[in-house]
Amino acid sequence: MRHLARLADYCSITNMHTKNLAIVWAPNLLRSKQIESACFSGTAAFMEVRIQSVVVEFILNHVDVLFSSKLSSVIRDGAGVSS
């Protein structure tokens, strides 16, 4: 994810900003067996991929916070969780 976020830094050259990267990479990063099954119609599959791309775009826009060592230590130590 950090690599894709770094690629987005060069969007002025490549035109691959976070939204474009999310559209391209979301189906691979958040692969869904439901979408691949025959029971999904074209419209339902499109909506599912759209949701996936929104999630990936959010992650790319907040990669520094979501993957920071500070957040990892808070989660690991269970800070903020009352017993």
Side-chain angles (χ1 to χ4, degrees):
M1 294 309 275
R2 286 184 178 152
H3 175 70
L4 292 177
R6 280 193 298 265
L7 284 176
D9 291 339
Y10 296 96
C11 66
S12 62
I13 299 167
T14 64
N15 200 31
M16 291 300 286
H17 43 81
T18 55
K19 186 171 186 154
N20 285 347
L21 289 167
I23 290 169
V24 171
W25 284 95
N28 294 305
L29 295 173
L30 301 177
R31 189 174 203 151
S32 173
K33 290 185 187 261
Q34 290 176 338
I35 292 175
E36 295 173 0
S37 71
C39 66
F40 257 72
S41 69
T43 304
F46 174 75
M47 292 304 294
E48 188 73 20
V49 170
R50 186 170 171 242
I51 293 167
Q52 289 174 340
S53 68
V54 169
V55 170
V56 171
E57 184 179 2
F58 175 84
I59 293 170
L60 290 175
N61 285 327
H62 298 91
V63 74
D64 292 336
V65 174
L66 294 171
F67 296 101
S68 73
S69 58
K70 184 176 180 180
L71 180 63
S72 297
S73 66
V74 168
I75 293 169
R76 184 176 47 251
D77 296 340
V81 177
S82 58
S83 304

